C-alpha cells in the first residue's frame, strides 16, 4: 500500500522537489506547523473542556461557555490534523522516505486513532 501511495503522490512531490527548497524547511517545516496546531488548538481546546467540567457545579454559565468553545475548536483541530496527516505523507514522499514504516506516519496514525476514539466516546455522552 505504501508503494501505491508513493506512486500516486510522486508527480506532486517532484514538483516540490523542483523548487529546490532548503533541506531544513523540507524536513522540519511540516512537523513545526503541525506542532503549532496540536499545542495551540489542542491545548486550548483541552483547557476549555477541562474548565467546563470543573466549573459545572460552581459557575454553570462559564462552564457552558467553556464547553461550547471546546465543541467548536476540537472538531476543527481534528480536521487540521487529518489534513495535516495528508501533508505529512506528501512530505515523506518529497524526502523519498518509506511512507508506511515511517515513525511520522505511525505517530500521525496513532494521534488520529486516539482523537477518533475520543470523539466516539463523546458522542455516546461518556456512557451516561
Amino acid at each position: 500500500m505504501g508503494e501505491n501511495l508513493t506512486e500516486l503522490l510522486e508527480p506532486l512531490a517532484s514538483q516540490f522537489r523542483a523548487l529546490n527548497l532548503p533541506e531544513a524547511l523540507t524536513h522540519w517545516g511540516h512537523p513545526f506547523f503541525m506542532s503549532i496546531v496540536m499545542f495551540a488548538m489542542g491545548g486550548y481546546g483541552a483547557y476549555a473542556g477541562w474548565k467546563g467540567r470543573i466549573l459545572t457545579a460552581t459557575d454553570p454559565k462559564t462552564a457552558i461557555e467553556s464547553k461550547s468553545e471546546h465543541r467548536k475548536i476540537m472538531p476543527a483541530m481534528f480536521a487540521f490534523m487529518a489534513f495535516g496527516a495528508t501533508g505529512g505523507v506528501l512530505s515523506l514522499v518529497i524526502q523519498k522516505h518509506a511512507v508506511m514504516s515511517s515513525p511520522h506516519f505511525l505517530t500521525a496514525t496513532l494521534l488520529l486513532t486516539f482523537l477518533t476514539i475520543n470523539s466516539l466516546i463523546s458522542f455516546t455522552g461518556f456512557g451516561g
Side-chain angles (χ1 to χ4, degrees), residues 20-114:
N20 292 321
L21 297 170
E23 193 274 332
L25 179 64
T26 305
H27 185 78
W28 293 108
H30 173 77
F32 173 74
F33 289 111
M34 290 308 297
S35 66
I36 290 172
V37 171
M38 184 174 70
F39 289 115
M41 290 182 82
Y44 180 75
Y47 172 73
W50 172 77
K51 185 177 168 187
R53 285 184 168 255
I54 296 298
L55 296 176
T56 299
T58 58
D59 189 359
K61 184 180 181 211
T62 305
I64 290 169
E65 290 172 6
S66 291
K67 287 179 181 180
S68 177
E69 289 179 25
H70 176 81
R71 284 187 196 110
K72 290 175 189 171
I73 200 163
M74 294 312 276
M77 187 198 87
F78 182 86
F80 273 115
M81 291 307 224
F83 288 125
T86 305
V89 169
L90 179 60
S91 176
L92 291 170
V93 174
I94 291 169
Q95 297 174 67
K96 297 187 177 189
H97 291 305
V99 174
M100 301 298 268
S101 61
S102 159
H104 181 116
F105 180 82
L106 298 174
T107 303
T109 302
L110 189 66
L111 173 79
L112 289 174
T113 300
F114 283 142

